[in-house]
Amino acid sequence: ALAGLMAFMLATDDALYHIKGGNAKLMSTAWNQAKEARAKKCPGKEGLLSHVEKEVSTVVGSIHGFDLYNENGDDIGEFDLVILATPISESKIDFLIKSHMDETAVLQQMPLGGLIENSDETGAAGYISPDHEGHSPLPRQLPAVVTRRYIQSVTTIVRNATLQADYWFGQSKVENRTGPWLPRQIYMTAAGKFKEHNVTGIFRIPPSDGTAEDDGAIYKICSSQHLSLDILRKFFGSSVEIEVEHEWYIAPDYQGRGTSTDFMIYDGATGFQGHTKAGALYYPHALDLAFSTLESQAMGARAVAKLIAKRLEWIETFQSFSVGEEL
C-alpha cells in the first residue's frame, strides 16, 4: 500500500522533485551535486574526487579493502569501501573473498550478510561494538527476495490505435452508447490482468500540440510480458502499429511477503578479531525490500553515507541529526 501511495503521489504531484531529462541523468546529476557540495564545504580539496566509468564484473574483498576487476580479468583498482548502488540480482557481479588458508590462490564466495566482529576493545565476549552498527554477530544468508530477479514490466507505445469497444465492453453495451464515451484509462484487477495477457493498464496519450483527438490515437500499455501484434490488434484494431517497446525491472519480487536486510552486507573483519575502516560493502537498496521507489533509494543512499562517515570517523558515533532528515 505504501509503495502504491508513493507511486500515485509521483504521478499526480508536480511539487515533488524529479530528475530533469529522465532517470538516465541520475548519475551525472548526483555527481555534479557532490562536486558542488565538496567545493562549498571543503574549499581547495575538490580535486580529491574523481569519477571513472568502468564496467565491474568481479569484486574480491578482504579485511584491507576490495579489488575490482572487469569481465576480462583486468584489475580496475583497489578500494577501501564499496557501495553497490544497483540491485544485487541485476548487477551481474561476482562477490568473492580471498581464502584465509591461502590468500594468493584460492577464492570463495563472499558471505553477503556475513561475519561481523562481536567484541569490544578488551575482547569481552557477547558485546556488539558500536563500530559495527549493531549488525548480526554471526553469518546469515540474505533474504531470498534480495537475490530474486526484479519484477519485469514492459511498456509498449502503439499508434494508429482505435480502442475496440466491443472487445473490451461487449457488443450490447456498445450498441446502447452514443458520443465519445470510451475511457482514456483502463486499470486491470488481478482477475483482469490474468485474463488479458498480464496487462496492468492502458492509457491514451493526448496529442502534444493540443489538437482534437481523432481515431488512430496513441496508447501506452503496461504489462508484465511482451505483447504480440496479434494481441494488440484485438485491443486496438488491425491498423495498430508498435512505436516503442521497452522492458525494465520495477521492484523486488516480494511474492507477497516483505522483509528487511542491513545496509552493510559484508564486513572484512576476520572472525571475532580485527576491524579496520576498510573492507565494508554497503547496499543502499536495502530499503527496496520494504517499498521500492526512487525516493526510498535516495533515503537509503543518505543512510549509507552517514554509516560510512561514522566508520571513517568523519562524524561522531552518537552525533545527533534532525529527525527524519532522510525524508
Side-chain angles (χ1 to χ4, degrees):
L2 181 57
L5 175 61
M6 295 187 73
F8 177 76
M9 291 172 62
L10 288 173
T12 58
D13 191 348
D14 292 335
L16 294 177
Y17 67 85
H18 60 280
I19 300 172
K20 293 182 179 179
N23 290 351
K25 301 290 185 180
L26 177 60
M27 287 303 299
S28 59
T29 299
W31 180 246
N32 290 335
Q33 290 183 0
K35 288 195 297 184
E36 293 174 2
R38 178 81 176 184
K40 181 179 179 180
K41 297 185 178 182
C42 305
K45 298 182 179 180
E46 297 87 343
L48 296 177
L49 293 176
S50 61
H51 182 206
V52 180
E53 294 186 15
K54 297 287 186 179
E55 185 171 334
V56 178
S57 63
T58 305
V59 174
V60 179
S62 71
I63 191 173
H64 305 295
F66 299 90
D67 293 308
L68 273 56
Y69 300 89
N70 63 20
E71 62 180 354
N72 297 321
D74 300 326
D75 190 352
I76 296 175
E78 183 177 352
F79 301 86
D80 292 331
L81 303 171
V82 169
I83 303 170
L84 180 61
T86 191
I88 291 176
S89 58
E90 308 301 326
S91 67
K92 300 180 181 179
I93 297 176
D94 293 323
F95 294 93
L96 308 171
I97 58 173
K98 297 177 181 179
S99 170
H100 301 314
M101 303 298 293
D102 184 359
E103 290 192 359
T104 61
V106 180
L107 295 176
Q108 61 191 50
Q109 290 295 316
M110 181 181 294
L112 298 178
L115 200 58
I116 307 297
E117 180 187 6
N118 189 30
S119 63
D120 60 11
E121 293 180 357
T122 62
Y127 175 78
I128 298 178
S129 167
D131 287 340
H132 293 104
E133 299 124 28
H135 288 286
S136 174
L138 294 174
R140 62 179 181 181
Q141 291 184 335
L142 291 173
V145 65
V146 177
T147 54
R148 285 197 292 262
R149 293 296 303 270
Y150 268 38
I151 296 173
Q152 175 183 269
S153 177
V154 179
T155 300
T156 307
I157 307 294
V158 298
R159 58 188 174 91
N160 295 332
T162 303
L163 194 66
Q164 301 300 288
D166 54 347
Y167 176 85
W168 289 105
F169 308 106
Q171 186 66 34
S172 61
K173 291 186 178 180
V174 173
E175 291 175 349
N176 296 328
R177 294 276 186 169
T178 58
W181 64 274
L182 290 176
R184 297 175 181 273
Q185 300 178 351
I186 299 176
Y187 295 91
M188 299 292 182
T189 62
K193 176 184 175 183
F194 178 78
K195 179 182 178 181
E196 299 298 345
H197 310 282
N198 285 315
V199 171
T200 56
I202 297 176
F203 312 94
R204 185 166 182 166
I205 302 176
S208 58
D209 58 4
T211 58
E213 298 183 28
D214 299 318
D215 289 342
I218 299 175
Y219 282 86
K220 177 174 74 173
I221 307 100
C222 298
S223 60
S224 56
Q225 66 183 43
H226 293 276
L227 301 174
S228 68
L229 190 56
D230 288 339
I231 294 173
L232 293 173
R233 285 171 176 165
K234 292 180 181 178
F235 293 172
F236 302 105
S238 59
S239 298
V240 68
E241 299 178 33
I242 298 176
E243 184 74 18
V244 176
E245 184 181 60
H246 183 66
E247 178 183 313
W248 49 299
Y249 294 87
I250 56 174
D253 186 3
Y254 300 108
Q255 295 188 2
R257 186 174 185 178
T259 185
S260 64
T261 190
D262 300 323
F263 285 117
M264 185 168 65
I265 57 175
Y266 175 75
D267 191 340
T270 305
F272 287 95
Q273 308 171 13
H275 173 69
T276 66
K277 294 178 182 178
L281 174 65
Y282 291 90
Y283 191 52
H285 281 267
L287 278 183
D288 274 3
L289 308 182
F291 56 94
S292 183
T293 67
L294 190 60
E295 283 70 23
S296 67
Q297 293 166 24
M299 291 157 58
R302 183 66 177 265
V304 165
K306 289 181 180 179
L307 292 174
I308 291 175
K310 186 169 77 70
R311 188 182 183 96
L312 298 177
E313 297 181 355
W314 292 347
I315 60 175
E316 297 179 5
T317 301
F318 300 106
Q319 181 176 336
S320 61
F321 298 93
S322 60
V323 175
E325 70 171 333
E326 284 88 355
L327 299 175

